[in-house]
Amino acid sequence: MNPHGLLAHLNPSQQAAVSSFADTLAILAGPGSGKTHTLTSRTAWLLAQGLQPWNVIVATFTVKAAREMKERIGKLIGNGMESKLVLGTFHSIARRYLARYGHLIDIKKDFGIADSADSLAIIKRIIKKNNFIIDAKITRSRISGKKSRGARYRDKENENTSGAKTVEAQEFDICYAEYEEALKRSNLLDYDDLLLRCVDLLRYHPSCVSNVEAVLIDEFQDTNIVQFDLMRLFAAHRKRVTIVGDPDQSIYGFRAAEVKNYKRLLKMYPETVTIALEENYRSSGAILLTSLNIIEQDSSRVAKSLLATHAVGTRPVLRRLCDAHKEAEWIITEIQRIKGLTGELLDLNDFAILLRSSALSRLIESALGKAGIAYRMVGGLRFYDRLEVKTILDYLRVINQPDNNDALARIINVPSRRIGESTIKSLLEEADESKITLWSLILGFVQGKKSAKTKLPKQTDQGLSRFVNIILTARGKLTAPEEERMTMPELIKFILLKTDYETWLEEHHSDIHKARWANVEELITQATDFQDLVSCSYEDESLPQIDGLDQDEGPDHLSRFLANVALASEVKNDEGTATAQVTISTIHAAKGLEWPVVFIPATYQGSIPHSRAEDTNEERRLLYVAMTRAKALLYMSYPVKNSQSELTTLSPFLCATSLAPLLDQRGPSFRSSTVQTMAQILRRALPSATSISKSSAFVVSMEDDIFPLNGEENKDEKTSRWNSMAGNPSFTMGQQAPKRRRVEMNRSVSNIEERSAPDWKPAYHTTMDQSASFTSASITMKSSFVSAGSHLQVLKEQAVDCAAATSLDPAPEDTQSQARKKVAPKAKSKSLEGQGTLFGFLGKPEPKVAELVNIKPPKTTTNRTETSNFPVAAAFCLPRPLAIVDRPIEIAPSLANHRLGGGKTIIRPRQSVPIEDCHRNDYVFLSSSPPRVTRIEPIPEKQPGLVSNPPIMKLVRPVVSMHETSMDKLQSGSAARKTLGVKRSMNGWENRKNQSFKPPTITRPAE
């Protein structure tokens, strides 16, 4: 093998790392910098220098990573040397040494591994037996944390708790002691024990690893203190260590991972050479720049950078939505828009939604389901944890190690043998009292060597006898002469036959019987593949002979298969399915993965950083890891209100002023240059114009403009949660609209074609669609009260009715003065007859009202037909200011001063608004106040129905914008103007009527 050939496809930094002759080498590899390729090449290069593969230890963190690395090394060096490496996860390597040398520290041969379910079952049984108040899951987590921090931590903890202990602490100590005793009685080691006992073995018998010439550690930033000790013990003889990691990606503090291990390494090995891999081959330049800006906020980190090898690309997006529901809808619309406007460049497999907490997935899953978009969950149920598979594995575990109480208890009545749960519980308690295992108890009872205290009916006695017979027969098949010995697949088929397992599945899971049976067949296939690998020595677990040390004979095939199953960490995600699926994953589970497009929702305080997080820097690293999973497009978002309707605050990690120019407020426009850049980054063929044209036909909007940028709820689309059955074109592409519609207050509009598709409005409109914005100013009360909106509607109708009887030229000053005198004694409008004002209702004196100005409207008249069900606010969506005409009009005193501004004449010029747009402005907040101006600006273009010099209206003005409210001014820091409007709620006036009321005062203009 040519060592120089290994360096041919590496960049200068990678070449330096692979070919370094330093004994202790630290490779700091940022995300997407090719660390796996570098570590694989480093291993092959060491073997090319003459090191023997059985003297090289390579530790990874997942079984999947170990398998991939072994395959890569095999391609580089060949000759089957990769199978001789001591390569695997920390736990699998530790188990291999304990299987060979465990007898040196009193570990029995063929020990079993207690998985998470076993550990939890043992703890629950101890708590129930002793009537403890501690929680089983919390106790298991505490036990694991205590073991993960090693003996030094336990000694320190004992020193700190030398005083009086609380009841909870005392119960935990008792539970811990009984848990350890139960494991020992069943000859089991849990996951943490594998590492701890291996540390004990190598500490007291260092000669076990005296042959080791090199140790290579992957994902070093995720190691805990026990794994760090293991690394030192493995390399104790030659002190040749290579670590690959990135302190910026240390995110497993809840598993006791120590980001400080890198500094410990430098302290214990002062001659360490550090090489940084800074060239990123994954993400666009814009994504990298933004990610670095965030991680560099941590001043305590090891300084290093990332260099982009791709184009800059589009800037990451930080989107603000009004609530969590709209956030989920926005994600779906963006997925549809991206996919539609990029043609065949992307499919659903290229999209990932990364969550800080799995609890955030509910609304997103619901939105994906409504849109008919397939998705997969990463970090879900393992294949080996599925009921039908776990039952067969428990049979194998009992056959291999009958003293496993919990596995035995789970299968003793599956299929049914007339052994009830109460009987199983009594047998377990009896075994615990006798300090023996459950298997020893029932075996002695069936063979007549012991008498059980638990009363067993005849049918139960017969069921136990059949069960014991199956286990003993299978164990005999495994210990038979080699020509008669059962293989792994044959053993599984024997269990299925003796238990009639397929029939039992059909009886108890008839609805999904075929799918469950298919999983059982998959287990047989995996057992067959494992048997073949062992037979050809590819899964060789032998260790070199050490002078003066005796090795136990290697474990049999069944023990090794069960150990691999217990230590498997990957989740079965139905890979290979023909259906493309969006990926939903927690950020922790996404580490090491990558996607072309990544969404990170809920980037607010309390989510990231999490409300229960203790290490803020780790939370920052978590966001950094999530951002660097993206290749071409990165979207982040946060709702103004979370799923509990609580107001949120943007994550402090995203608040830095230096981030503002690096982030966009909306999704990018997918022009041809943008799509071309994405294709270059992803190294894919540029989609054809035909494919883009075809796919974009189903896109609702070409731009990310459906949801408001400011995070306020769109007035056109303010649909209540309980009225969500109203159809949504964007969500139901290719689906029929829902048949059910909610009708409120006996009024409804169900014209599906009322809105055009690009407007993306709900397909059905009901009165209560706008319930979230209902105020007493938006509806007319019937109990002798007229709202301000209704009052202005009357004024508007009167202005329109008399438009034909007026002159184009405005009246001179003296004519206006006479008009004011005529208007004064006139009676009030008929619409106001028979009712008082707000001042009368509150018992306050009515103020004097300023005289109105009589202004003649234009000669040209426009016939407008007002429908009875036309919204109140729509009447003010006019392309010109309203004018007061000759007909006497009087405004309620309570509204007179509301529209005046310090005696100055106010006019608000506005652009012409198409008539169809008026239908979208369903509501107007009368608290809106226009900016003051002191001059009149002419209308730029004369239109029919408009006057050349619009008359001045002192008391009533047209509505400026339905989006400009007093709340907007308050949020922007401007002074709010007191108005007669009430709070935006159904009981706004009710909450304020008891407060002291001060009538508005009128300031007359100076004479």
Side-chain angles (χ1 to χ4, degrees):
M1 180 178 59
N2 181 13
H4 298 287
L6 298 172
L7 309 177
H9 302 289
L10 303 175
N11 64 41
S13 298
Q14 292 172 337
Q15 290 178 0
V18 169
S19 60
S20 174
F21 286 94
D23 286 337
T24 309
L25 176 65
I27 304 174
L28 301 185
S33 59
K35 70 175 183 60
T36 303
H37 183 41
T38 303
L39 183 61
T40 301
S41 301
R42 172 72 173 173
T43 305
W45 188 85
L46 289 174
L47 296 178
Q49 301 304 311
L51 273 64
Q52 300 301 319
W54 49 83
N55 294 334
V56 176
I57 294 178
V58 184
T60 66
F61 264 79
T62 65
V63 175
K64 181 180 179 181
R67 188 183 306 121
E68 291 177 353
M69 188 170 294
K70 181 178 287 189
E71 292 175 357
R72 291 190 184 189
I73 294 174
K75 292 178 181 178
L76 289 175
I77 60 178
N79 300 326
M81 295 179 65
E82 72 279 3
S83 63
K84 304 296 183 182
L85 286 167
V86 184
L87 190 156
T89 64
F90 269 103
H91 293 84
S92 65
I93 294 174
R95 186 201 63 82
R96 186 186 302 192
Y97 274 92
L98 291 175
R100 295 287 183 171
Y101 300 111
H103 63 278
L104 299 176
I105 54 173
D106 299 327
I107 293 179
K108 296 180 181 178
K109 184 182 178 181
D110 294 331
F111 60 86
I113 300 175
D115 59 18
S116 300
D118 295 329
S119 298
L120 187 60
I122 294 172
I123 293 171
K124 283 182 177 179
R125 192 163 59 248
I126 294 170
I127 291 175
K128 193 169 185 179
K129 181 186 69 173
N130 296 293
N131 294 321
F132 288 162
I133 61 173
I134 54 178
D135 181 80
K137 291 185 177 180
I138 295 177
T139 301
R140 184 188 64 176
S141 179
R142 286 186 62 186
I143 291 174
S144 178
K146 193 171 183 178
K147 291 183 176 182
S148 298
R149 290 171 174 84
R152 289 174 290 182
Y153 171 81
R154 295 199 298 271
D155 295 340
K156 185 177 180 181
E157 188 181 55
N158 292 333
E159 294 175 2
N160 295 336
T161 57
S162 57
K165 293 184 178 181
T166 63
V167 174
E168 184 178 359
Q170 294 175 10
E171 289 183 353
F172 174 76
D173 290 342
I174 296 173
C175 186
Y176 190 9
E178 293 192 12
Y179 171 76
E180 291 292 293
E181 184 180 349
L183 289 178
K184 186 175 181 179
R185 189 163 55 242
S186 298
N187 194 23
L188 295 175
L189 298 178
D190 64 17
Y191 293 142
D192 300 300
D193 286 334
L194 291 174
L195 303 182
L196 279 175
R197 300 311 303 275
C198 190
V199 168
D200 293 339
L201 170 67
L202 301 183
R203 184 170 291 163
Y204 295 114
H205 303 278
S207 56
C208 295
V209 288
S210 58
N211 65 298
V212 176
E213 296 178 297
V215 178
L216 298 96
I217 309 295
D218 190 18
E219 303 288 4
F220 183 73
Q221 76 279 351
D222 295 331
T223 55
N224 57 34
I225 193 65
V226 177
Q227 291 162 336
F228 183 83
D229 287 342
L230 265 181
M231 178 201 72
R232 289 195 308 111
L233 292 169
F234 284 147
H237 185 60
R238 299 287 178 88
K239 291 183 173 56
R240 185 177 292 169
V241 176
T242 298
I243 64 102
V244 179
D246 182 11
D248 289 339
Q249 297 186 72
S250 178
I251 60 174
Y252 293 110
F254 65 96
R255 297 181 187 170
E258 291 276 356
V259 69
K260 297 178 181 178
N261 278 348
Y262 172 67
K263 294 183 178 179
R264 289 192 180 100
L265 177 76
L266 298 181
K267 184 178 180 180
M268 294 186 177
Y269 301 92
E271 301 299 324
T272 299
V273 174
T274 299
I275 298 176
L277 306 183
E278 297 182 337
E279 294 186 46
N280 179 280
Y281 296 94
R282 175 188 298 161
S283 305
S284 69
I287 293 175
L288 285 185
L289 182 60
T290 309
S291 304
L292 279 174
N293 194 288
I294 287 177
I295 197 61
E296 287 173 352
Q297 296 170 10
D298 181 7
S299 58
S300 63
R301 65 184 283 270
V302 179
K304 58 183 174 52
S305 184
L306 284 176
L307 303 176
T309 59
H310 292 302
V312 175
T314 61
R315 290 185 296 180
V317 176
L318 179 59
R319 196 67 153 83
R320 184 183 183 189
L321 286 305
C322 65
D323 57 36
H325 294 270
K326 292 297 182 184
E327 183 181 37
E329 294 175 13
W330 170 76
I331 291 175
I332 274 62
T333 58
E334 274 300 283
I335 290 176
Q336 293 173 336
R337 188 174 74 93
I338 296 169
K339 191 172 181 297
L341 298 181
T342 56
E344 299 174 350
L345 183 64
L346 301 171
D347 62 18
L348 292 180
N349 290 326
D350 296 321
F351 294 85
I353 304 171
L354 306 184
L355 310 173
R356 172 60 181 89
S357 171
S358 58
L360 297 169
S361 69
R362 180 180 63 86
L363 294 177
I364 296 174
E365 289 187 69
S366 177
L368 287 168
K370 288 179 181 178
I373 298 176
Y375 65 92
R376 68 169 68 89
M377 292 291 296
V378 174
L381 190 67
R382 293 192 319 156
F383 172 77
Y384 300 116
D385 288 335
R386 297 179 180 181
L387 175 64
E388 62 279 6
V389 175
K390 190 170 182 61
T391 301
I392 301 302
L393 290 175
D394 280 337
Y395 267 98
L396 295 176
R397 295 171 74 188
V398 171
I399 292 171
N400 181 65
Q401 185 59 262
D403 290 332
N404 190 330
N405 282 2
D406 296 285
L408 178 58
R410 285 194 292 265
I411 64 170
I412 195 171
N413 196 42
V414 179
S416 176
R417 300 183 178 91
R418 304 295 182 127
I419 308 173
E421 292 184 6
S422 58
T423 302
I424 298 173
K425 178 183 175 182
S426 299
L427 291 173
L428 279 170
E429 292 176 351
E430 185 177 342
D432 286 341
E433 292 175 359
S434 303
K435 303 296 182 183
I436 59 175
T437 62
L438 179 60
W439 170 254
S440 301
L441 180 67
I442 63 174
L443 181 62
F445 176 73
V446 169
Q447 294 178 345
K449 298 178 180 178
K450 295 181 181 179
S451 59
K453 298 179 182 178
T454 305
K455 294 183 179 180
L456 301 176
K458 185 176 181 180
Q459 291 180 334
T460 302
D461 187 9
Q462 294 174 350
L464 285 175
S465 298
R466 292 195 300 271
F467 175 75
V468 169
N469 182 57
I470 293 174
I471 302 302
L472 291 177
T473 303
R475 286 179 62 81
K477 298 283 186 180
L478 289 177
T479 57
E482 188 172 352
E483 60 275 6
E484 300 178 7
R485 191 175 303 168
M486 274 188 176
T487 62
M488 284 286 302
E490 291 172 345
L491 180 59
I492 295 175
K493 292 176 182 178
F494 171 80
I495 295 170
L496 297 176
L497 177 65
K498 289 295 182 179
T499 58
D500 198 9
Y501 195 60
E502 185 174 10
T503 302
W504 180 82
L505 281 178
E506 190 171 0
E507 291 175 354
H508 290 77
H509 305 282
S510 57
D511 53 340
I512 51 174
H513 156 253
K514 292 183 179 179
R516 291 187 180 273
W517 183 250
N519 288 332
V520 174
E521 293 177 333
E522 172 65 18
L523 179 64
I524 297 175
T525 302
Q526 291 191 16
T528 303
D529 294 342
F530 178 81
Q531 188 84 31
D532 294 340
L533 291 175
V534 171
S535 300
C536 67
S537 298
Y538 189 78
E539 290 288 341
D540 187 9
E541 286 195 345
S542 62
L543 293 173
Q545 291 289 339
I546 307 295
D547 293 340
L549 286 178
D550 295 331
Q551 285 190 19
D552 281 338
E553 187 177 339
D556 56 33
H557 295 178
L558 178 58
S559 297
R560 292 175 56 187
F561 176 74
L562 292 173
N564 287 350
V565 167
L567 298 174
S569 57
E570 62 263 32
V571 175
K572 182 72 174 180
N573 289 318
D574 299 324
E575 295 179 0
T577 179
T579 304
Q581 298 172 318
V582 173
T583 300
I584 302 178
S585 172
T586 62
I587 301 175
H588 288 99
K591 188 171 178 296
L593 304 177
E594 58 185 30
W595 293 270
V597 184
V598 168
F599 290 84
I600 310 174
T603 56
Y604 55 81
Q605 178 78 40
S607 174
I608 185 164
H610 198 274
S611 57
R612 294 193 300 270
E614 298 178 357
D615 188 349
T616 303
N617 289 331
E618 181 168 319
E619 292 294 301
R620 183 184 291 106
R621 295 194 292 268
L622 198 61
L623 178 59
Y624 174 74
V625 167
M627 295 173 69
T628 52
R629 301 307 97 195
K631 294 182 178 180
L633 297 177
L634 172 61
Y635 288 82
M636 295 177 286
S637 60
Y638 70 103
V640 175
K641 293 183 179 180
N642 60 20
S643 57
Q644 285 78 40
S645 298
E646 300 169 342
L647 291 175
T648 65
T649 304
L650 179 63
S651 171
F653 307 143
L654 298 171
C655 291
T657 55
S658 58
L659 281 173
L662 304 179
L663 297 171
D664 271 336
Q665 294 183 352
R666 67 167 79 243
S669 299
F670 291 97
R671 302 181 179 87
S672 58
S673 58
T674 304
V675 177
Q676 183 176 4
T677 301
M678 291 176 60
Q680 292 174 352
I681 294 173
L682 301 177
R683 297 183 177 88
R684 297 180 182 179
L686 186 67
S688 64
T690 303
S691 67
I692 294 178
S693 176
K694 183 178 179 181
S695 61
S696 63
F698 300 99
V699 176
V700 175
S701 177
M702 297 298 176
E703 301 292 338
D704 179 16
D705 56 5
I706 296 175
F707 299 87
L709 286 180
N710 56 7
E712 288 191 354
E713 190 168 1
N714 193 338
K715 309 301 186 300
D716 301 333
E717 222 173 306
K718 194 177 291 181
T719 306
S720 60
R721 297 280 77 82
W722 39 264
N723 196 27
S724 60
M725 287 301 294
N728 190 323
S730 175
F731 271 60
T732 56
M733 288 173 59
Q735 303 178 12
Q736 294 182 353
K739 297 181 179 179
R740 295 185 59 189
R741 310 174 212 160
R742 181 179 295 278
V743 180
E744 300 290 346
M745 299 173 64
N746 297 324
R747 292 175 293 175
S748 152
V749 178
S750 58
N751 184 7
I752 302 179
E753 298 178 356
E754 186 176 357
R755 302 279 189 254
S756 60
D759 289 337
W760 206 76
K761 303 296 184 291
Y764 305 104
H765 303 279
T766 68
T767 303
M768 296 306 290
D769 279 346
Q770 308 289 342
S771 61
S773 63
F774 266 24
T775 67
S776 60
S778 64
I779 58 176
T780 302
M781 311 298 288
K782 295 183 179 181
S783 56
S784 301
F785 179 81
V786 174
S787 67
S790 300
H791 192 93
L792 293 179
Q793 169 68 6
V794 173
L795 299 182
K796 179 262 170 189
E797 292 176 354
Q798 292 175 348
V800 174
D801 291 342
C802 63
T806 58
S807 173
L808 179 62
D809 298 328
E813 183 64 27
D814 57 343
T815 306
Q816 295 181 12
S817 301
Q818 295 176 5
R820 285 196 293 268
K821 297 178 181 179
K822 293 180 181 180
V823 169
K826 292 277 183 175
K828 296 181 180 180
S829 174
K830 292 182 180 181
S831 64
L832 301 178
E833 291 180 0
Q835 69 177 22
T837 63
L838 287 174
F839 301 95
F841 175 78
L842 297 172
K844 304 288 184 179
E846 297 194 13
K848 295 180 180 180
V849 184
E851 294 180 337
L852 303 179
V853 179
N854 184 17
I855 302 174
K856 294 183 179 181
K859 291 181 179 180
T860 306
T861 59
T862 303
N863 295 327
R864 291 201 179 194
T865 304
E866 300 291 340
T867 58
S868 59
N869 62 346
F870 197 68
V872 173
F876 297 97
C877 295
L878 302 176
R880 58 187 174 85
L882 292 178
I884 297 181
V885 296
D886 287 340
R887 178 177 296 185
I889 299 174
E890 187 172 273
I891 298 176
S894 59
L895 300 177
N897 194 46
H898 176 55
R899 298 302 174 184
L900 285 178
K904 295 182 181 180
T905 300
I906 299 176
I907 184 167
R908 174 66 173 180
R910 60 181 297 163
Q911 296 179 353
S912 176
V913 181
I915 296 299
E916 58 269 21
D917 289 351
C918 300
H919 295 273
R920 290 198 288 267
N921 296 332
D922 294 338
Y923 294 94
V924 174
F925 298 100
L926 298 179
S927 58
S928 301
S929 299
R932 298 169 180 251
V933 295
T934 58
R935 62 187 181 87
I936 302 174
E937 297 180 6
I939 296 178
E941 182 178 354
K942 185 174 181 180
Q943 300 179 13
L946 301 180
V947 295
S948 57
N949 296 315
I952 300 173
M953 185 175 180
K954 291 188 176 182
L955 300 181
V956 181
R957 63 162 181 84
V959 177
V960 179
S961 171
M962 63 179 293
H963 297 291
E964 183 177 322
T965 68
S966 295
M967 292 304 296
D968 294 334
K969 295 180 178 294
L970 285 173
Q971 292 174 359
S972 62
S974 60
R977 184 189 302 273
K978 294 184 178 180
T979 71
L980 291 181
V982 295
K983 292 181 67 176
R984 296 171 58 182
S985 62
M986 291 295 294
N987 62 344
W989 178 255
E990 195 69 19
N991 291 338
R992 293 181 55 177
K993 72 178 183 179
N994 295 326
Q995 299 178 7
S996 60
F997 181 83
K998 295 182 180 181
T1001 59
I1002 300 177
T1003 304
R1004 293 182 177 277
E1007 292 292 333

